[in-house]
Amino acid sequence: MKRYQLFINNEWVDPQSKAWFESLDPFSGEAWAEIPRAEAADADRAVMAAANAFEGPWSRISPSERGMLLHKLGTLIERDAESLAAIESRDNGKLTRDVLGQIKYMAKYYYYFGGLADKIQGAVVPIDKPKVYNFIRYEPMGVVLSITPWNSSLPLTTWKMAPALCAGNTIVCKPSEYTSASLFELAKLFVEAGFPPGVFNVVTGFGDEIGDPLVRHPSVQRIAFTGGDEAGRRIYAAAAQSLKRVSLELGGKSPNIVFDDADLDQAVNGVIAGIFSATGQTCVAGSRVLLQESIHDAFVQRLAQITKTAKIGNPADPANEIGPITTKPQFDKIRDYIAIAKKEGARCVAGGRVLTGPEFGAGQFIEPTIFVDVTNDMRIAQEEVFGPVLSVLKFKDEEDAIRIGNDIKFGLAAGVWTTSLHRAMLMSERLKAGTVWINNYRSSSYATPFGGVKQSGIGREGGIESVKEFMEAKSVWISTDLKMPSLFAGK
Ligand code: NAD
């Protein structure tokens, strides 16, 4: 079994605890790698390496050279995309072909933010005072801490790291305890690309043992977190003790709204991809489908029919379309929600069962599941399942769709299917979400901001503006001929 070490200051080191834990393959259920169990002392080593790099070698590298390093890293990721995808897929159980697509696309983040590194300009301010000159400098913050969940370790770290490095910060990464291996593999590419020691560091382990000491470390200036809202709240509260800058990308229960004037073939595909991609284990899952009353029954029939054709099994087999659930606790949670939905009176029209047999490995598989007769007050309509479970609700008209769509604590994303331009514009304005997709779902790009409103998070990742989320504006005043009078009349 492969045993990893922590990656600190471009060196591979054992955790101070000399303890490791096993990473499991969600398909076979077998342990395949040993991951270092880091604690507070390792947090200190990693943060101090990043802090020293920030003050030292990294600060002497010009923005253009920084950009070239990021670009080089992108080329190495493209070169090694297949081996990175094999490791990430083995750890998180997502379809290998999907992960490969994600990792190839991830390289473009480094090209895009590499290109931006020498284009973040300050400003001269036409200030309202005579004889003084004012300008704004944008400066990197220092050590950025990235904390990520298990569903997409490499891409979600990249969303934070590419703009943060572009801005001139240094990084400490804490991946999920379930999916740590791929970041160690990425670390090798940082060395090969020529990044100075300490710019990028990886420490692994559990939230309370290593995550919390990292969050509280006095030399961490900025925290970029993706994960569940419970951990998000704890991190936000701990960060408040030292007023650290924080961005949070949390969960969702996104409405995917189909009007009767929609292209229904497109809409059916969009609803299915919206919920069942990555076996429903995505934050933007369109897990609440709102159907206009007049099309409800026929649409549900088509949804159920197509859903039952899903090819389920080994994620490494390119013929399969649905893989296992990544973790055992998540598998149990999804089963609980299926039971809750039934108890609440929702009706299951597709799936709902656990799959067992030789083609389902260790048995961590749940059929793609659709519930109808769901009302918006039910738990299955309000709470994030993070699995292949769709809730279908009915609505009457635009106002009703907006009311139900917004009647939830989350606000990550929303989908709308309509051929009316008026409706498309109205819904894009009135839905409270960080992203609205009209006649498409799950589109994403490094060039546009992503993030949530309400309890889906704070801050945005992606797009030019995201670089400034990792910088502070400094206002500089220079007197050209400003006299400083004495404060005291008697001198
Ligand atoms: P999680 O919140 O349990 O864990 C996320 C990370 O936080 C892990 O690395 C964990 O070790 C760490 N952590 C936990 N407690 C901590 C603490 N007190 N201090 C510091 N670190 C701590 O999430 P998960 O179960 O791994 O992932 C699923 C969740 O992630 C879902 O709710 C999903 O919606 C969300 N998610 C959001 C997005 C988004 O962009 N909005 C994307 C993917 C996943």
Side-chain angles (χ1 to χ4, degrees):
M1 199 167 7
K2 189 166 174 61
R3 170 175 278 200
Y4 284 98
Q5 289 173 293
L6 301 173
F7 182 74
I8 299 175
N9 220 21
N10 278 11
E11 286 170 7
W12 298 98
V13 293
D14 284 351
Q16 299 267 321
S17 64
K18 301 278 179 234
W20 278 258
F21 60 96
E22 290 177 339
S23 200
L24 304 181
D25 175 334
F27 175 65
S28 68
E30 283 162 15
W32 75 277
E34 288 182 321
I35 307 297
R37 186 165 182 164
E39 295 172 351
D42 304 298
D44 192 50
R45 274 200 293 176
V47 173
M48 290 325 293
N52 291 335
F54 180 74
E55 296 298 338
W58 193 231
S59 68
R60 291 191 287 275
I61 287 181
S62 75
S64 302
E65 287 169 309
R66 220 159 58 213
M68 284 161 71
L69 283 170
L70 283 168
H71 194 277
K72 173 83 185 170
L73 179 65
T75 62
L76 298 177
I77 289 170
E78 278 201 277
R79 185 196 69 190
D80 289 359
E82 292 207 1
S83 58
L84 289 169
I87 284 172
E88 180 113 314
S89 164
R90 185 160 197 190
D91 241 0
N92 70 8
K94 279 171 86 164
L95 301 175
T96 310
R97 66 178 150 90
D98 285 2
V99 178
L100 180 60
Q102 274 190 312
I103 288 174
K104 283 185 176 162
Y105 190 68
M106 192 177 106
K108 297 187 196 299
Y109 277 78
Y110 295 99
Y111 301 148
Y112 178 81
F113 286 104
L116 274 179
D118 54 7
K119 297 172 192 68
I120 306 300
Q121 299 185 350
V124 174
V125 181
I127 207 86
D128 61 320
K129 309 272 184 293
K131 299 177 181 172
V132 69
Y133 173 84
N134 178 276
F135 67 94
I136 301 171
R137 282 171 54 80
Y138 288 99
E139 299 181 346
M141 292 172 164
V143 179
V144 174
L145 170 62
S146 157
I147 303 183
T148 43
W150 42 257
N151 58 330
S152 283
S153 199
L154 286 173
L156 292 175
T157 305
T158 291
W159 291 8
K160 298 155 185 37
M161 200 159 63
L165 289 173
C166 162
N169 300 285
T170 54
I171 310 280
V172 175
C173 293
K174 206 306 265 173
S176 166
E177 50 274 33
Y178 293 104
T179 54
S180 301
S182 57
L183 271 180
F184 288 128
E185 300 295 332
L186 183 67
K188 296 176 188 165
L189 303 187
F190 269 83
V191 178
E192 188 178 344
F195 282 82
V199 173
F200 173 74
N201 307 275
V202 185
V203 283
T204 50
F206 298 92
D208 51 347
E209 292 177 3
I210 177 69
D212 188 61
L214 284 167
V215 166
R216 292 176 193 276
H217 198 289
S219 294
V220 168
Q221 303 299 330
R222 167 77 160 87
I223 299 166
F225 171 79
T226 297
D229 55 350
E230 219 181 286
R233 256 176 261 277
R234 277 204 305 275
I235 288 170
Y236 199 34
Q241 301 304 312
S242 48
L243 297 180
K244 291 186 168 69
R245 277 60 172 152
V246 177
S247 57
L248 304 170
E249 299 280 0
L250 307 177
K253 188 82 183 181
S254 300
N256 202 353
I257 304 170
V258 187
F259 283 97
D260 57 6
D261 66 1
D263 176 335
L264 295 180
D265 293 332
Q266 288 289 303
V268 166
N269 290 342
V271 165
I272 288 176
I275 179 64
F276 297 128
S277 295
T279 316
Q281 300 172 112
T282 68
C283 52
V284 294
S287 49
R288 262 189 325 148
V289 160
L290 277 53
L291 299 178
Q292 197 156 15
E293 280 173 347
S294 56
I295 57 163
H296 177 275
D297 294 355
F299 198 93
V300 164
Q301 209 177 9
R302 287 173 73 178
L303 273 182
Q305 214 171 22
I306 298 174
T307 298
K308 287 173 186 167
T309 68
K311 295 190 183 67
I312 307 171
N314 187 342
D317 180 344
N320 285 329
E321 296 156 335
I322 295 278
I325 304 303
T326 304
T327 75
K328 178 68 169 60
Q330 186 61 25
F331 175 73
D332 293 339
K333 180 177 158 190
I334 298 168
R335 293 176 67 187
D336 287 349
Y337 270 107
I338 289 174
I340 289 166
K342 288 180 178 164
K343 215 166 148 196
E344 287 180 310
R347 187 161 53 87
C348 186
V349 293
R353 292 176 309 168
V354 167
L355 295 168
T356 48
E359 67 274 41
F360 301 117
Q364 220 160 271
F365 280 86
I366 294 178
E367 282 180 319
T369 299
I370 301 176
F371 282 106
V372 297
D373 299 343
V374 176
T375 54
N376 207 39
D377 55 346
M378 292 180 181
R379 287 182 64 190
I380 198 64
Q382 291 290 323
E383 297 173 16
E384 185 185 49
V385 176
F386 215 67
V389 180
L390 179 66
S391 297
V392 180
L393 296 86
K394 279 185 200 167
F395 70 91
K396 287 193 187 61
D397 52 21
E398 286 163 0
E399 282 306 317
D400 204 27
I402 292 165
R403 182 184 59 77
I404 300 170
N406 287 339
D407 181 16
I408 191 133
K409 70 176 181 175
F410 297 113
L412 191 59
V416 178
W417 300 85
T418 178
T419 49
S420 156
L421 180 60
H422 165 79
R423 266 184 178 159
M425 294 306 292
L426 177 86
M427 299 302 282
S428 68
E429 284 171 21
R430 301 267 312 270
L431 288 169
K432 295 194 192 318
T435 296
V436 177
W437 289 293
I438 310 282
N439 296 328
N440 67 112
Y441 204 90
R442 297 188 91 240
S443 305
S444 73
S445 169
Y446 46 79
T448 192
F450 176 81
V453 302
K454 300 201 280 186
Q455 293 188 33
S456 285
I458 297 170
R460 293 290 180 273
E461 293 177 343
I464 296 175
E465 291 305 314
S466 66
V467 179
K468 297 249 176 83
E469 299 228 1
F470 293 97
M471 304 185 99
E472 299 280 17
K474 179 183 278 176
S475 174
V476 181
W477 297 78
I478 300 180
S479 160
T480 50
D481 194 21
L482 187 68
K483 303 284 177 254
M484 289 299 297
S486 168
L487 185 63
F488 305 118
K491 306 244 160 76

